[in-house]
Amino acid sequence: MTTTPGMVCAHHHLYSTLARGMPAPPETPKSFLGILEQIWWRLDTALDLEMIRWSAMLGALEALESGTTGIVDHHESPNAIEGSLSVIEEACREVGVRVRACYGVTDRHGPDGARRGLEENRRYLSEGGSGMVGIHAAFTCEQDTLEAAAALARELDVGVHVHVAEGPEDEGCVRSLAGLAEDNWLLAHCVHLPDDHGLAGTILHQPRSNLNNSVGYADPARFGNPVALGTDGIGANMIDTFRLAYVMQRSVDVTATPETAWGWLENGWDLIPECRNDRVTWSYDPMDPWHIAFTPSIRPLEVEVEGEIVLKDGAVTRVDAAEIRAKAREQAARLHARL
């Protein structure tokens, strides 16, 4: 078999595509909270809608080039909230990638910032946008805000996409989210989540990001919840992510096989079911977990979305890849100058 459905990245931050090569932070972070404060929370406040557009275009382009046709995106841009989710959706659609978007509500910028985040989720979803209600993380939200986000999701009949116990700072999340989380929620990271946490929802596993942030290994096989694979903003190459998820599990369990991590990859199709109908023709045969786990440089040759060839002979067909990369470099320079 050389053909599979389109891959799904179950947890992405498309806005972080422009972070590559950003200036060093004012001081070297020595903890996960320090990484958030010195890097990501400075970057997201510097974003504007034009930066968001081209970061999403580049992220979607790179997704297609790696055989990924669906992205579950978690977005934050506290100084450019209104309209941001529509910008992301339109950019991805232009490239030919499906997206499920949300805005990560937080109280880091006061009650008004939280209100505006909730309203962006409401606006986008009420206008027919495809996505969820977003929450940044329980430890950055007041309980009233968490409850308001959960209520909005129930009202609109969607789930909630939230970071859960990514670092030790969020270990109190079980108490905050108990009674709120439902089966259609997406719980990202869960590194420090207890085995018996009792929270409903699908756990999103980002092995490369967790290693990069030095937060530990989530060991998602220990949970009873479904597990799906994401990247946390470090591209959207899900074949590469599958390989890393497998060897990370193998590092703590010598009996682990690639089938488990491949099952996590397949669970992405439950999050964006339309991707099951997409077709990716790969450079390798067979596309079997045991082969893929040990075979480098597998790449897509052709990608078909809704009957349209959006990548042929390794090149995208709907947009100019060189133009997207050039525009993204311009916006990255603007963003980096603000930092």
Side-chain angles (χ1 to χ4, degrees), residues 8 75 88 93 160 210:
V8 173
H75 179 68
I88 292 168
R93 187 189 306 121
V160 168
N210 294 340

Side-chain angles (χ1 to χ4, degrees), residues 25 43 74 97 103 111-112 141 146 159 161 168 184 195 203 236 238 245 307 310:
L43 184 140
H74 191 286
V97 172
Y103 189 87
D112 186 63
C141 292
L146 297 176
H161 188 174
N184 60 357
D195 295 2
I203 287 173
M238 301 315 299
V310 294

Side-chain angles (χ1 to χ4, degrees), residues 184-195:
N184 60 357
W185 280 42
L186 301 182
L187 314 177
H189 296 285
C190 301
V191 177
H192 296 269
L193 197 64
D195 295 2

